[in-house]
């Protein structure tokens, strides 16, 4: 089973279409992934986000709404992952910016042995259609410069789409302190500290108007959060200097039952 967390703050205009598209996609990919459930995490939206998410619940794509008392995207995803119990979990944005075939590719990478598969607009084969302002683009460049020092080798920490082994995800998120937009960096850095195999996958990414990220309001906070993350990661490395790779296989019966689609599937 796959459980996907969608953090949603005042997303009444973007979330319903994303859930409809996800339901359509899940009907196609379910033979491989097994059942898929969505956990929408709302914190204090002032619009109809929670009601619309609940209304999208269907047998084809169950949707559960979880409320989170702490504001921020990181806090919301943490609460959502904490409410999962599936062998594979992940998260994606309510705007549906990442094309959904990323689910199939991420699933394939996990089956091949990755512990975490992340959408990357910098990976070869990605296609990005963005309409960000010069301020946002400049800030993103500076931000990438900083993240490269915290998570070396990961070119795009901020794409909103990530899948991972459920047990690993729940354990990483339990230790996450970042509550804002920078939480992905802490997640990936902690995953590395624990010896997890993190792989970037190409995505088709389209900017969807209505972003909740305001460069002026959230930009400085994100850089401050990065500094705090760098400090925490340094401490985590100090107490856990050399962890052997996590070897527990992710393969579930669903993988073994589709051996023709996935020739690499092995007995779980
Ligand atoms: N629950 C919750 N979700 C949030 C909060 N802030 C952002 N989100 C969600 O986080 C996801 C990403 O936000 P976006 O507004 O798309 O921002 P972004 O993807 O970082 O930036 P863009 O590239 O401009 O889209 C969306 O699903 C938002 O609804 C929050 O405080 N609480
Ligand atoms: Mg977005």
């Amino acid at each position: 089973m796959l459980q996907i967390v969608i953090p949603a703050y005042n997303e009444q205009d973007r979330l319903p279409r994303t859930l409809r598209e996800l339901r359509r996609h899940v009907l196609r990919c379910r033979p491989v992934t097994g059942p898929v459930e969505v956990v929408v995490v709302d914190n204090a939206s002032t619009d109809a986000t929670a009601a619309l998410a609940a209304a999208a619940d269907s047998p084809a794509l169950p949707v559960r709404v979880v409320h989170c008392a702490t504001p921020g995207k990181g806090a919301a995803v943490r609460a959502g992952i904490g409410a999962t119990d599936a062998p594979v979990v992940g998260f994606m944005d309510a705007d549906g910016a990442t094309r959904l075939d990323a689910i199939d590719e991420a699933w394939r990478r996990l089956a091949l042995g990755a512990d975490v598969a992340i959408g990357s607009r910098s990976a070869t084969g990605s296609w990005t259609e963005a309409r960000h302002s010069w301020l946002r683009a400049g800030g993103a460049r500076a931000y990438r410069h900083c993240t490269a020092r915290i998570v070396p080798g990961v070119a795009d920490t901020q794409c909103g789409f990530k899948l991972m082994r459920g047990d690993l995800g729940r354990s990483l998120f339990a230790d996450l302190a970042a509550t804002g937009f920078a939480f992905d960096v802490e997640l990936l850095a902690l995953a590395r500290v624990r010896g997890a195999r993190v792989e970037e996958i190409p995505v088709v990414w389209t900017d969807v108007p209505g972003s909740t990220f305001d460069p002026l309001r959230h930009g400085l906070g994100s850089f401050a959060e990065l500094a705090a993350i760098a400090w925490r990661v340094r401490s985590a490395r100090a107490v856990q200097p050399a962890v052997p790779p996590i070897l527990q296989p992710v393969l579930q019966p669903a993988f073994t039952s589709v051996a023709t689609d996935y020739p690499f599937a092995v007995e779980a």
Side-chain angles (χ1 to χ4, degrees), residues 146 149-150 177 185-186 189-190 193 223-239:
C146 299
R149 300 176 77 94
I150 306 173
V185 179
E186 187 170 21
L190 282 188
V193 169
F223 279 98
E225 206 168 30
L226 264 193
I229 289 170
W231 179 256
R232 284 196 295 273
V233 169
R234 187 196 288 230
S235 315
R237 280 196 197 116
V239 290

Side-chain angles (χ1 to χ4, degrees), residues 6-11 14-15 41-45 68 70-77 92-97 121 132 136 158-160 179 181 205-208 210-213 218:
I6 304 184
Y9 180 68
N10 285 345
E11 291 286 5
R14 306 195 296 176
L15 182 63
V41 187
D42 171 41
N43 40 8
S45 287
C68 170
T70 314
K73 180 181 178 185
V77 178
M92 57 177 270
D93 289 348
D95 58 8
R121 291 158 290 188
H132 285 150
R136 177 81 191 264
Q158 296 313 113
C159 177
T179 57
F181 282 99
W205 191 92
T206 314
D207 179 56
V208 181
S211 174
T212 60
F213 185 90
H218 299 113

Side-chain angles (χ1 to χ4, degrees), residues 144-188:
R144 275 196 299 275
H145 189 73
C146 299
T147 61
R149 300 176 77 94
I150 306 173
V151 203
V154 176
D156 182 8
T157 57
Q158 296 313 113
C159 177
F161 177 84
K162 294 177 175 71
L163 283 197
M164 64 207 79
R165 286 192 10 230
D167 52 355
L168 174 68
R170 285 182 284 275
S171 127
L172 291 171
F173 272 97
D175 290 343
L176 233 58
T179 57
F181 282 99
F183 78 99
D184 308 64
V185 179
E186 187 170 21
L187 174 75
L188 298 174

